[in-house]
Structure formats: C-alpha cells, structure tokens
Amino acid sequence: MKKVTVIVRTFNVDWVVDQTLVALYKQKDIDIELMIVDSGSTDKTLEIVSNYEHQFIAIEPGTYFPGKVLNQAVESAQTELIVFVNSDTVLLDPYALCKLIEPLKDTNTVASYGRQIIRPEADLWVKHDYERAFTKDGNQPNWMHYSLPIASMKKSIWKTQKFYTEAWGSEDTQWGVKIKEKGYNIAYVKDAIAMHSHNYTFKQLASRRRIEGEAEYFIYPKKSLSIFSTVLSFGASFLRESYYYISHNKGMGIPVLLINRMVYSWSFYRGFVYSSQLNNKTTYGNYQ
C-alpha cells in the first residue's frame, strides 16, 4: 500500500471541507498522511478539520502566496509521493487516488492530474470549459499541462523544479510547462475523477483572468499579445460558446455570455500587459 502526503489548502471553506475530507478518507488501498495548510480561517473550517488526524501548517492571514505556500508544504512532507486536493474538491471514486498515482510507477512520469467535473449548479460556459480542459477520452488539449485541484507529483522531482513565485497565479501551469521542457512526462488520468468547479461574478472573473494574464507573461516570456490578437481570441471564444449555448437550448443566455467573453478576454490582456510593462518585476497579482 502506497503512502502519500495529501496537501489540502483551506480558507473559510466550512461549507464543503467536510465533504472533501470524508471522500478523501474513503479512498481505498492507499495510506494517507493529511496535511492541512490554513490561511487564517475564521469560520468553522478548523473545527471541522480537527476531527481528522493531520499535520497542520498555519499561514499568517493576508500573506497567502500560492507558490510560496505550496513549496513550504511540499518541503514539510515526509513522503516521496505528494498529492494535492483542493479543499472544495470532492473525490467521486474510492480508488481515485490509486488511479492518480498509478502512472508514477514509470520513471519518466513525474506527475499526474485527474479529471474534474462540474458541480450541479455550474454555469453552462463553465461546463463547456471543463469539458474542453478535462476530456472524457483522455486526449488533452495542448494548452493543458497540470492542474492542482486533483494532482500528484514526486517530491524528488519537485526539489529540482519548485513552484515559481514570480507571479501570484497559474503556479500549476508554470510547473507543468517547465517539467515538460526538462523532458519529463505528466500523465492525465481521466479515471481519477473529482467534482470541482466555480461560478464567477463578472468582478471575480475579471480578477481571475487578470491574474492568469499576469502569470502568462512569466510562463511564456517570449509570447506577445496585442489588442488585435485579443479581439480575435474574443471573437473565436464568443462564437464557440454561442454555438454551445444554442446546442443546449440556452440561446437566451447569449447576451450575458457576450459580456462574459468580453471580460474574459480583456482582463487577461490587461494582466499580460501589466506584467510586461514591469519588465519581469514581481507583481503579486495587484491591480489598481
């Protein structure tokens, strides 16, 4: 039976964390050492997680920085195999983690990530986004590299490529890109299934996409992004999603979708330009 450290990052998730941990401890044929990394929860999160044996790392409120926190957690782990499960990710198969780590038996496969499916209340564009990002047939798009809500890695490889701290977001994507550049494989395990998704207000979507745009500059420093290419991306995205809405008899939602796609594309562009103008200086995801 393989022993793994499961890292769960928490912050005010009392609405879901018990579901996450119950599903985690229903996993079969795997020995779990749970590590909770909390960033200053003020709800009942810590009361709930106290019911489960775990190693605890406290992050000072207001100082959470994904790459730095992840590096600290992995450094503290006592096992070679590291598993990441987001605090709002519910494993849907009692063998999900066994399936997730199975590819790591191969010496050149150093990490893996599972298939995420949406929550029942997910917006239609989120549903389509997840269908494209986490395919049922296992044929992943070339823009998908690694995704931490359900993922694993070898600690010995992490020591050679730690999570970056140049920007606030997309630390999993950046790690995956760098690992592949070194010639290693990252496996997508379509049968390691978990439920995880988010609906966003326009404001939340803008913030998320600005952070992703900022990170994009650091991940692909040779990449250029113009207003023209942003408009083309917006157009392609809007047409693709409109067709999806119509095919699901949700054509009445297209006007809202139009605003969604505008926010989606423009905010990413803003983030990318913001980083590029600072000439590789750390921005920590702050925008005026």
Side-chain angles (χ1 to χ4, degrees):
M1 185 179 296
K2 290 288 187 181
K3 177 176 284 191
V4 301
T5 297
V6 180
I7 297 172
V8 178
R9 290 169 287 165
T10 58
F11 178 69
N12 288 345
V13 284
D14 60 2
W15 63 276
V16 69
V17 70
D18 198 46
Q19 298 176 44
T20 299
L21 296 180
V22 166
L24 183 61
Y25 275 99
K26 286 184 177 179
Q27 293 297 295
K28 299 183 182 300
D29 296 341
I30 194 163
D31 186 1
I32 292 172
E33 292 189 359
L34 175 63
M35 180 185 295
I36 298 292
V37 184
D38 187 79
S39 303
S41 292
T42 55
D43 61 1
K44 295 183 179 180
T45 296
L46 298 184
E47 178 183 336
I48 293 169
V49 302
S50 68
N51 295 316
Y52 302 86
E53 183 178 351
H54 64 276
Q55 178 182 349
F56 185 75
I57 296 178
I59 305 300
E60 185 178 348
T63 65
Y64 179 80
F65 195 98
K68 181 180 178 181
V69 168
L70 286 165
N71 287 334
Q72 180 182 350
V74 178
E75 183 68 49
S76 300
Q78 301 300 309
T79 62
E80 165 66 0
L81 296 182
I82 308 296
V83 169
F84 303 95
V85 174
N86 274 17
S87 57
D88 61 346
T89 298
V90 181
L91 304 174
L92 299 180
D93 179 346
Y95 293 96
L97 294 192
C98 281
K99 295 173 181 177
L100 181 69
I101 66 172
E102 180 68 20
L104 282 92
K105 291 180 178 179
D106 174 50
T107 56
N108 203 51
T109 300
V110 301
S112 65
Y113 65 102
R115 180 158 69 96
Q116 300 171 43
I117 65 172
I118 58 167
R119 298 183 181 280
E121 68 276 13
D123 292 334
L124 190 59
W125 74 268
V126 176
K127 181 176 186 288
H128 194 204
D129 196 26
Y130 275 55
E131 287 176 356
R132 295 175 63 236
F134 307 103
T135 61
K136 291 182 179 180
D137 61 11
N139 295 317
Q140 284 297 85
N142 57 15
W143 43 265
M144 274 301 299
H145 298 282
Y146 195 46
S147 185
L148 284 183
I150 172 173
S152 72
M153 67 168 55
K154 296 175 180 176
K155 181 173 180 177
S156 56
I157 300 300
W158 165 83
K159 290 180 179 179
T160 70
Q161 181 66 53
K162 298 184 179 182
F163 289 104
Y164 84 143
T165 57
E166 282 77 14
W168 199 89
S170 300
E171 65 285 344
D172 45 4
T173 296
Q174 193 272 351
W175 193 87
V177 168
K178 292 300 181 183
I179 283 296
K180 290 179 178 179
E181 287 177 354
K182 292 184 175 184
Y184 293 116
N185 295 327
I186 295 177
Y188 169 61
V189 187
K190 63 182 180 64
D191 295 323
I193 304 174
M195 181 173 63
H196 171 261
S197 65
H198 296 278
N199 289 335
Y200 295 102
T201 65
F202 289 142
K203 182 177 181 180
Q204 289 170 334
L205 180 62
S207 177
R208 171 196 165 195
R209 289 294 288 170
R210 284 197 302 267
I211 289 170
E212 290 175 346
E214 176 192 332
E216 189 83 355
Y217 178 79
F218 291 97
I219 297 170
Y220 304 105
K222 296 182 179 180
K223 182 175 180 176
S224 61
L225 192 62
S226 66
I227 291 180
F228 179 71
S229 64
T230 298
V231 170
L232 289 179
S233 176
F234 155 73
S237 173
F238 178 62
L239 290 174
R240 181 183 65 239
E241 298 305 319
S242 294
Y243 176 79
Y244 190 79
Y245 269 53
I246 292 170
S247 67
H248 284 75
N249 299 315
K250 297 292 185 181
M252 295 295 289
I254 289 179
V256 175
L257 175 67
L258 174 63
I259 301 173
N260 175 290
R261 294 295 91 181
M262 292 172 65
V263 171
Y264 191 92
S265 299
W266 179 247
S267 298
F268 187 88
Y269 173 76
R270 279 188 63 206
F272 186 90
V273 170
Y274 186 81
S275 277
S276 63
Q277 289 178 341
L278 291 182
N279 192 27
N280 276 334
K281 292 181 180 179
T282 303
T283 62
Y284 299 95
N286 294 321
Y287 295 86
Q288 301 299 321

